[in-house]
């Protein structure tokens, strides 16, 4: 595996989930695999979970880890080609990438969407430059349009908490309000991975927040949040800004003042419409904006197991990369 961006990159999902359970039983099983190998984790944006869980995954595999916070101590990087560099950016990504690649055996990238140029973001311009110019395996730690380590951890969490083998679980991805403009990477990947998994998948959001069709796939879209929640076994809440599918000029925007959208906040009444559903969110979450205190604190909340499974999804992915380097 030379690149980890999409669900297809991991191959058969049942096999990947079986490997996740194998790692969970003994997370140091492959501790010899990464000896004298170095993972470089490059962060253009903030992180708590991805930073810690991916480092832990590398340590589980016996690797060395270098973490680079681009905005805290490195030269400010220009990412676009053709720019006259007379501003505050001292170095171009096109030199920085091959330099970074000298010191490591694989590179993880966190680089959020800029949310101003849809074409630039949806072409995964920054990630693809790392693939092209590093010559090393590259994996996404949330890029412009996807967050596959999160979606894989979410799928592991759903599988572990779904005991009723006679029925496919109903999984609902719901938009929820937020004061700031957030990327679409988490809902995009969640939709992509749920479409590939054996679940009944529904997406609900206010009009104007339609996700890119390449991620929606065959999922059912229900604009009535209450109808969508009926009979749900898992509620996955997330805010995202306008993906610009129907109105490209609205790309990256918050379409309505969040004060007028609080009826989308997931609270106890919303959960009462479901089949005693489990509540999920990737974190970080704004309480009483996305979800009420009582719902996130209830025993049916899976937010901490999801975060714990980030170590497992990352260990499987880094192991796969090491195994493909060994042959
Ligand atoms: C980011 C996002 O919405 O993509 C990271 C989530 C894992 N969240 C924020 O910026 C608050
Ligand atoms: N869920 C997630 O990726 O969290 P961080 O942004 O803290 O890494």
């Amino acid at each position: 595996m030379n690149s980890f961006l999409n669900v297809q990159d991991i191959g058969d999902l049942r096999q990947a989930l079986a490997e996740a359970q194998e790692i969970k039983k003994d997370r140091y099983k492959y501790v010899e695999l990464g000896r004298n190998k170095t993972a470089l984790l490059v962060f253009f944006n903030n992180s708590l979970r991805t930073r810690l869980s991916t480092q832990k995954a590398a340590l589980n595999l016996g690797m060395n880890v270098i973490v680079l916070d681009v905005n805290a101590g490195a030269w400010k990087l220009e990412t676009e080609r053709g720019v006259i560099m007379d501003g505050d950016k001292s170095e171009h990504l096109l030199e920085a990438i091959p330099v970074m690649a000298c010191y490591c055996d694989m590179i993880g990238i966190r680089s959020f969407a800029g949310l101003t140029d849809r074409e630039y973001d949806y072409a995964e311009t920054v990630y693809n430059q790392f693939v092209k110019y590093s010559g090393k395996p590259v994996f996404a730690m949330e890029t412009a349009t996807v967050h596959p380590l999160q979606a894989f951890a979410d799928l592991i969490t759903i599988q572990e908490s779904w005991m009723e083998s006679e029925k496919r679980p109903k999984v609902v991805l719901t938009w929820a309000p937020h004061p700031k403009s957030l990327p679409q990477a988490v809902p995009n990947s969640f939709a992509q991975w749920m479409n590939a998994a054996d679940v009944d998948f529904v997406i609900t959001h206010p009009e104007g927040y339609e996700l890119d069709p390449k991620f929606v796939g065959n999922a059912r879209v229900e604009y009535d949040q209450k109808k969508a929640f009926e009979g749900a076994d898992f509620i996955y809440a997330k805010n995202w800004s306008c993906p610009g599918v129907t109105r490209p000029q609205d790309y990256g925007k918050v379409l309505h003042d969040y004060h007028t959208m609080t009826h989308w906040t997931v609270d106890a009444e919303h959960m009462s419409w479901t089949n005693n559903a489990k509540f999920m969110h990737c974190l970080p979450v704004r309480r009483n904006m996305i979800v009420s205190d009582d719902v996130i604190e209830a025993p049916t909340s899976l937010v901490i197991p999801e975060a714990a499974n980030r170590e497992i999804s990352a260990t499987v992915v880094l192991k796969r990369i090491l195994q493909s380097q060994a042959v």
Side-chain angles (χ1 to χ4, degrees), residues 45-315:
N45 308 93
N46 295 341
S47 168
L48 175 69
R49 280 143 291 275
T50 305
R51 173 186 300 273
L52 297 179
S53 62
T54 314
Q55 287 190 60
K56 180 62 166 64
L59 297 173
N60 290 346
L61 296 162
M63 303 182 78
N64 304 306
V65 198
I66 306 174
V67 179
L68 177 66
D69 287 304
V70 173
N71 299 318
W75 302 109
K76 256 193 163 189
L77 293 177
E78 177 56 62
T79 54
E80 285 183 61
R81 198 170 167 278
V83 171
I84 297 172
M85 289 176 57
D86 58 358
D88 60 341
K89 294 174 178 163
S90 309
E91 179 152 28
H92 203 287
L93 202 57
L94 292 175
E95 283 75 54
I97 291 172
V99 169
M100 292 183 216
C102 295
Y103 314 129
C104 65
D105 301 283
M106 62 176 76
I107 308 180
I109 316 291
R110 166 157 289 201
S111 175
F112 288 177
L115 296 176
T116 52
D117 182 342
R118 183 177 206 280
E119 225 172 288
Y120 183 86
D121 289 344
Y122 272 73
E124 285 292 358
T125 312
V126 172
Y127 181 87
N128 283 326
Q129 291 191 83
F130 273 91
V131 172
K132 191 166 172 191
Y133 298 112
S134 73
K136 296 282 158 72
V138 176
F139 59 95
M141 302 193 299
E142 186 170 337
T143 59
T145 66
V146 289
H147 195 1
L149 286 171
Q150 181 66 49
F152 185 14
D154 295 331
L155 180 60
I156 295 167
T157 311
I158 289 172
Q159 190 209 27
E160 287 174 343
S161 46
W162 186 248
M163 301 300 174
E164 295 174 47
S165 52
E166 76 278 7
K167 172 182 165 282
R168 295 163 90 216
K170 178 175 176 183
V171 178
V172 178
L173 166 63
T174 182
W175 182 94
H178 195 282
K180 293 195 170 163
S181 182
L182 296 189
Q184 297 113 40
V186 170
N188 283 346
S189 278
F190 189 71
Q192 188 186 58
W193 285 67
M194 287 303 116
N195 282 328
D198 191 20
V199 303
D200 172 18
F201 182 50
V202 178
I203 305 173
T204 184
H205 55 72
E207 281 188 37
Y209 286 101
E210 291 75 17
L211 294 169
D212 192 291
K214 82 173 176 198
F215 295 108
V216 174
N218 294 326
R220 196 145 49 88
V221 178
E222 170 58 70
Y223 290 99
D224 182 331
Q225 194 190 25
K226 187 172 184 189
K227 269 196 201 147
F229 273 44
E230 277 164 14
D233 300 297
F234 294 89
I235 296 296
Y236 193 96
K238 181 73 183 84
N239 171 268
W240 61 90
S241 61
C242 176
V245 170
T246 43
R247 282 170 50 91
Q249 64 271 37
D250 285 346
Y251 176 64
K253 289 191 180 150
V254 175
L255 297 178
H256 324 267
D257 181 338
Y258 69 85
H259 293 102
T260 66
M261 301 306 286
T262 50
H263 54 290
W264 281 81
T265 301
V266 179
D267 61 11
E269 192 198 337
H270 285 70
M271 295 306 280
S272 76
W273 304 332
T274 70
N275 180 31
N276 194 27
K278 302 281 200 303
F279 176 81
M280 300 180 73
H281 189 280
C282 63
L283 305 181
V285 74
R286 289 190 185 225
R287 282 174 173 230
N288 305 309
M289 178 63 56
I290 301 283
V291 57
S292 63
D293 288 318
D294 51 347
V295 169
I296 198 170
E297 290 169 3
T300 42
S301 169
L302 294 179
V303 296
I304 306 304
E306 282 177 86
N309 278 329
R310 290 292 306 275
E311 176 187 346
I312 306 302
S313 64
T315 307

